[in-house]
Amino acid sequence: MGLMLSACSTVGYYAHVAEGQGELVLHRRDVAKVVDDPATDPAVKQRLALAQQARRFATTDLKLPDNRSYTSYVQLDRPYVVWNVFATPRYSVEPVTHCFLFAGCVAYRGYFSHDKAWREAARLEGQGDDTYVGGVPAYSTLGWFADSILSSMMHWDDDELASTIFHELAHQLIYVKDDSAFNESFATFVQEEGLRQWRQSRGMPPQDQHGKAMDDAFTQRVLDLRERLKALYASGIDDAAMEAGKQREIAQFRTQYAQWRAQEWPNDHRYDAWVAAPINNARLLPFGLYDRWTPAFAALFKQAEGQWPAFYASVRALARMPQAQREQNLQQWLAAGGLP
């Protein structure tokens, strides 16, 4: 009976995803027609024009796929296109993974419905798991469909809009099943280096590094918390002591954050709400996923003398390796980048 219920749940999920993706395809409109439509909000026209410039730059300068992706627009009736549900066992920082035919195994399930995502989170919590639901403004179908610009992307600033297009097209170019850290770190490097070159091509100054410096420092604090919890969960103490230790570590994290932010970033409150909200193992999962290997890819790009085709050839060579060998090579590239 358990196997049958699991199979039915999987079939139902795939039906939901197919329906959600189908709705996006059904409602997409060519960007040129949206821009020419007198009824289109002028602000949306401006953002779409910028997105098309970034799309052309991605092909001509970054050598990313030249296809129909990001040449259409979908007006959504919601703030996010999907909601990702992350889960971990109550006393583990390892994700509950989900495996798919084309994407491989990932640390979340995405839902096109806010209510379905929260119902799934409630079901997992009923089984004793920690859960976290996060809204996603954009995602890549890895080239299986022509991905659209979504209204959920229109609230970003110009840099984030352009760089997200670079990020998602990078997934279409190179993607390794069952290795989220590799995929996201590669796409994040393309996003960051692509944005640097994009701004330079438009005569704009380099980005202010204040925000990135704080983001990196905060991420490291979350990763340190995750490591402390990992050590706690491996200690073998009973559940009552484990729970007390878990809450103690989280409380200490909040106290140290407040002190650190007041001393180092007194006027920057971007993470205050995140820290004040309930924290559990699942909320920690997305941190570090997107940039674990990014410095290694930066070193690889430098070795390729900044030439995108040569860089992509080196990344493809890594992608063909078994995961253990790939990670060993990436560790070497981290060292080459001057990191410990």
Side-chain angles (χ1 to χ4, degrees):
M1 178 63 73
L3 179 61
M4 181 63 71
L5 289 174
S6 176
C8 290
S9 173
T10 300
V11 170
Y13 175 73
Y14 275 111
H16 166 72
V17 170
E19 180 182 3
Q21 182 61 45
E23 285 290 313
L24 295 182
V25 173
L26 181 65
H27 290 100
R28 66 188 179 189
R29 298 173 62 199
D30 186 87
V31 164
K33 292 182 178 179
V34 177
V35 171
D36 290 341
D37 187 342
T40 302
D41 185 313
V44 173
K45 290 186 179 185
Q46 186 273 329
R47 306 312 308 291
L48 290 176
L50 176 79
Q52 293 312 281
Q53 294 166 13
R55 181 66 187 85
R56 288 190 292 272
F57 182 84
T59 297
T60 58
D61 291 66
L62 307 184
K63 310 305 179 186
L64 291 167
D66 185 8
N67 54 32
R68 294 288 298 167
S69 287
Y70 305 109
T71 62
S72 62
Y73 177 70
V74 176
Q75 176 65 46
L76 300 172
D77 60 357
R78 54 191 189 271
Y80 299 106
V81 61
V82 296
W83 285 262
N84 285 341
V85 179
F86 296 86
T88 69
R90 187 168 182 80
Y91 300 121
S92 173
V93 294
E94 297 303 317
V96 175
T97 57
H98 306 275
C99 299
F100 305 99
L101 182 59
F102 300 114
C105 297
V106 294
Y108 54 84
R109 257 189 174 187
Y111 289 84
F112 287 88
S113 163
H114 172 273
D115 291 345
K116 285 183 181 292
W118 280 98
R119 283 199 296 270
E120 173 64 6
R123 185 186 70 82
L124 292 168
E125 287 175 4
Q127 296 178 175
D129 290 338
D130 281 4
T131 67
Y132 167 62
V133 179
V136 180
Y139 70 95
S140 173
T141 61
L142 307 180
W144 289 97
F145 296 91
D147 296 321
S148 297
I149 301 167
L150 306 172
S151 58
S152 51
M153 302 164 64
M154 294 291 98
H155 306 293
W156 294 336
D157 64 25
D158 290 353
D159 282 352
E160 191 166 8
L161 177 60
S163 64
T164 297
I165 291 173
F166 305 155
H167 182 108
E168 302 302 348
L169 286 171
H171 282 316
Q172 291 189 19
L173 185 69
I174 301 174
Y175 186 90
V176 179
K177 281 188 175 182
D178 307 330
D179 198 340
S180 294
F182 176 87
N183 297 324
E184 296 300 345
S185 296
F186 163 67
T188 295
F189 171 76
V190 174
Q191 174 178 357
E192 292 177 351
E193 176 60 23
L195 179 61
R196 187 192 69 78
Q197 294 186 16
W198 161 254
R199 289 180 62 90
Q200 186 179 56
S201 75
R202 295 166 67 84
M204 300 170 68
Q207 273 189 301
D208 180 5
Q209 294 300 304
H210 168 93
K212 187 177 187 307
M214 186 181 188
D215 290 343
D216 290 347
F218 181 76
T219 294
Q220 188 56 55
R221 287 187 166 274
V222 174
L223 295 179
D224 290 345
L225 170 61
R226 196 160 72 192
E227 286 302 309
R228 293 195 301 273
L229 289 172
K230 183 178 180 179
L232 171 69
Y233 300 150
S235 66
I237 58 179
D238 62 56
D239 283 0
M242 195 87 74
E243 182 63 29
K246 177 180 181 179
Q247 298 308 319
R248 186 169 55 251
E249 289 290 356
I250 292 170
Q252 182 180 349
F253 166 79
R254 287 194 172 101
T255 299
Q256 292 178 343
Y257 165 80
Q259 295 170 346
W260 167 76
R261 209 264 298 149
Q263 293 172 4
E264 303 292 333
W265 311 91
N267 299 315
D268 198 322
H269 300 270
R270 72 183 68 186
Y271 289 110
D272 287 7
W274 191 96
V275 173
I279 296 174
N280 62 24
N281 302 322
R283 282 196 87 208
L284 309 180
L285 286 176
F287 288 87
L289 178 66
Y290 285 76
D291 53 12
R292 177 184 177 188
W293 301 118
T294 302
F297 287 113
L300 199 61
F301 188 72
K302 183 177 180 180
Q303 190 269 343
E305 298 181 342
Q307 300 300 306
W308 288 104
F311 169 68
Y312 294 143
S314 297
V315 176
R316 287 191 180 96
L318 285 171
R320 289 191 291 268
M321 296 176 183
Q323 185 165 353
Q325 183 182 357
R326 180 165 57 249
E327 291 193 358
Q328 182 178 19
N329 275 262
L330 287 166
Q331 287 286 5
Q332 292 172 352
W333 281 110
L334 281 182
L339 296 178

